[in-house]
Amino acid sequence: MAQAVSSAFKATPARAAAPRRARANHIVCARQGEAPLLEQLGGVLRNALLGAAAASLVAGAAPDAAMLPAHAGISGDQVTNPKALLRYALPIDNKPIRTIQRELEAISAELRVPGGKSLGPVGKHVRAANNTLERDGNAIVAAFAPDKKAAGLAALEGLKQSLAEFQGILEAQDKQAVPLQQQKALDFVSAVEEAMVKGFPFEVPKEYADLPQLKGRATVEMAIRFTDARENNNTGGTMTMVLDGYNAPVSAGDFLDLVRRGFYDGMEIQRADGFVVQTGKPEGSSQGFEVDGKVRTIPLEIMVQGDKEPVYEETLEENGRYREQPVLPFNAYGTMAIAREEFENNSGSSQFFWLLKESELTPTGANLLDGRYAVFGYVTQGSELLKEMQVGDKIVSAKILAGEENLVLPK
C-alpha cells in the first residue's frame, strides 16, 4: 500500500506494505444497503471543502490554465472535448502537428460566436493549418514511428485531402458542413499523431506484472438496452469508448481484460443519479472480479502533466500535488474512471463509472475528483445515452473494436 513520499513533487511509485487511509473524497464501490451515491459523494465532498487542500481548490488555487492547450475545448480555455483530450494525452512532441490541431480545434469557438455569419475566421484557421502542413510536412513525416510510418503517411494524405475539401466548403459558404468537415480533418490529425508514438513510454512497476496492462490504446463498443422507452421512444443504443493505456495502463488494462472476458455482458446499470452512471459489481457478495476466489484489485494510477510515469497508490493530494493537472482529467461528459472503497486507494476492481458533469462539484479546471480517481478513458460516440440511463438498464454486450493487440496479459 501507499507510503509517504519524501519529496512532495517527486512522481515516483509509492510501494509499501502498510495500509493507508486516504484523506481524499471518494466515489465508493456499490454495496448492499448503501445510501444513493449522490448523497454519499455530495456529503463527503462538501465536508472535504473544509479541509485545507480542498479549500485551496475552491478558493481559486486550481491547476494553472496555462498548462492546458488554448482553443481546444468547448468551455473557455479548458479542454472538454473527449477526442481533444485524447489527442493532447498522446506522448508525442511535434510542434507542426500540434499547431495544425490547435488551428482546427479553434474553429469550434468561431462557430459559437453569437450572430456570426461570416466564415472568414474559420477560413483563417483552415489556411493556417494548410500552410503549416505544406511548410512542415517533412518534419511531421520524420516523427513517425518506423513501424507506424505507412499508417501515418496514409493519415497525412487524408488530412491533406480533407483540408482541400474544407476550402471548397468555405468557398461555397456551406456553414452546415463546417463542423462535420472539421471533425473529419481532426480525426486524420489524431491518426497522424498516434503514428508518432514510438513504443511504450515507460516501464510499469514490476509489482503490477500480475495484472493485465494496456500498452497503447483500445476502442470498445458497448450496447445498452433500456428497460422501457425513454425520450423520443429511445430504447437504447451503442456507445464507443477509447481507453488510454499510454497514461493508465493498469486501469485500462483491467477494464479491457474484463471486456475481453465478457464480464460486463448482461450486467445491469447499478447507479444512475444524475452525477454518475456506475456498474461493474457482480452478483452476490463480491465487490469485484474474482480470480481463484479472491477479488483482483488494482492500484490507484494517475499520470500528471509533465511526468514520465504515473503516480501509483496515492492521490495527488496525498502526494502533495493537488494543484497539478492530470493528463486525463474529469473534463469531458462521459469521462470513465475506476470506482473504489472509500478509504482504500488500491481497492479498484471491476466497478467503474461515467461522470455526467452535472454538478457544481465538478467544474472544469477545478475538479474535486481530479487526482483522486483513476481516469482511463472517454466516451467518444453515443454519450447522449448516459443522460437517459436508469438503474436496471442492461449492458447487452461490450466488445473490443480495436487495440486488443496492445493488451498484455500476465504470464
Side-chain angles (χ1 to χ4, degrees):
M1 300 306 166
Q3 64 181 11
V5 177
S6 59
S7 174
F9 293 94
K10 185 178 181 182
T12 55
R15 302 182 287 274
R20 173 176 185 151
R21 287 178 66 85
R23 298 188 301 273
N25 22 316
H26 298 277
I27 291 181
V28 296
C29 294
R31 289 182 181 275
Q32 282 189 331
E34 285 186 331
L37 179 59
L38 182 60
E39 178 182 333
Q40 293 183 46
L41 184 61
V44 173
L45 286 177
R46 286 182 175 85
N47 289 338
L49 296 181
L50 300 177
S56 296
L57 283 171
V58 173
D64 187 351
M67 295 176 66
L68 292 173
H71 311 306
I74 308 301
S75 176
D77 288 335
Q78 299 294 340
V79 185
T80 59
N81 182 284
K83 290 186 177 181
L85 287 165
L86 287 164
R87 282 190 288 270
Y88 280 109
L90 285 169
I92 65 170
D93 183 17
N94 184 269
K95 186 176 180 180
I97 195 62
R98 290 302 198 194
T99 298
I100 293 170
Q101 177 184 336
R102 285 193 295 270
E103 292 291 349
L104 291 173
E105 287 172 340
I107 292 171
S108 296
E110 305 293 356
L111 294 176
R112 291 194 302 273
V113 175
K117 296 181 180 180
S118 172
L119 292 179
V122 174
K124 181 180 178 181
H125 292 299
V126 173
R127 288 191 298 273
N130 193 60
N131 290 341
T132 301
L133 183 57
E134 291 180 351
R135 182 182 64 247
D136 298 322
N138 289 338
I140 293 174
V141 172
F144 289 144
D147 60 330
K148 301 176 183 176
K149 187 172 183 179
L153 290 172
L156 195 62
E157 186 59 35
L159 177 58
K160 291 178 181 178
Q161 181 62 35
S162 67
L163 290 176
E165 294 170 356
F166 221 144
Q167 292 288 0
I169 289 171
L170 294 172
E171 290 171 6
Q173 290 291 297
D174 187 355
K175 190 172 184 179
Q176 297 295 325
V178 168
L180 295 177
Q181 191 65 25
Q182 176 202 27
Q183 190 55 60
K184 180 179 178 180
L186 282 169
D187 284 345
F188 282 120
V189 168
S190 295
V192 169
E193 292 175 345
E194 289 181 22
M196 294 179 175
V197 181
K198 297 177 176 67
F200 193 72
F202 60 90
E203 288 292 328
V204 176
K206 293 180 180 179
E207 54 263 51
Y208 310 134
D210 60 341
L211 297 171
Q213 298 174 16
L214 181 60
K215 299 293 187 72
R217 286 187 172 169
T219 304
V220 170
E221 181 181 82
M222 188 173 285
I224 305 293
R225 184 172 66 240
F226 299 155
T227 55
D228 51 31
R230 307 283 156 78
E231 186 175 347
N232 297 322
N233 287 321
N234 188 10
T235 57
T238 59
M239 295 190 299
T240 302
M241 296 156 281
V242 175
L243 316 183
D244 188 358
Y246 289 123
N247 294 289
V250 177
S251 304
D254 177 72
F255 180 82
L256 192 67
D257 176 54
L258 294 176
V259 170
R260 179 185 68 89
R261 293 170 179 266
F263 177 82
Y264 297 109
D265 294 354
M267 185 171 286
E268 293 185 354
I269 298 301
Q270 295 153 359
R271 287 180 172 173
D273 50 28
F275 183 64
V276 301
V277 172
Q278 183 171 333
T279 190
K281 181 186 181 301
E283 292 185 2
S285 60
S286 179
Q287 299 304 305
F289 171 69
E290 293 190 354
V291 177
D292 298 328
K294 183 179 179 180
V295 174
R296 183 179 78 186
T297 58
I298 60 175
L300 181 64
E301 177 182 49
I302 300 167
M303 179 73 86
V304 181
Q305 287 191 3
D307 283 2
K308 300 297 185 182
E309 62 183 42
V311 172
Y312 284 99
E313 303 196 7
E314 289 193 318
T315 69
L316 294 192
E317 181 182 349
E318 292 166 346
N319 202 247
R321 308 180 68 185
Y322 62 88
R323 295 183 180 181
E324 298 188 50
Q325 181 77 2
V327 173
L328 300 177
F330 282 93
N331 282 14
Y333 188 93
T335 297
M336 302 176 69
I338 301 294
R340 57 184 176 82
E341 296 289 347
E342 184 174 0
F343 297 114
E344 178 48 68
N345 293 345
N346 307 319
S347 59
S349 180
S350 57
Q351 295 189 50
F352 72 98
F353 62 93
W354 292 279
L355 181 68
L356 304 188
K357 299 241 348 138
E358 297 291 343
S359 169
E360 72 279 5
L361 299 171
T362 57
T364 299
N367 195 318
L368 291 174
L369 302 182
D370 282 339
R372 292 172 169 86
Y373 295 89
V375 173
F376 63 90
Y378 296 99
V379 178
T380 58
Q381 289 182 308
S383 62
E384 63 276 3
L385 288 174
L386 291 171
K387 67 182 178 65
E388 299 292 337
M389 284 190 198
Q390 299 175 8
V391 172
D393 292 342
K394 185 165 290 188
I395 299 172
V396 178
S397 64
K399 61 181 181 180
I400 303 171
L401 297 183
E404 187 170 4
E405 69 278 6
N406 297 324
L407 180 63
V408 179
L409 298 173
K411 295 181 181 180

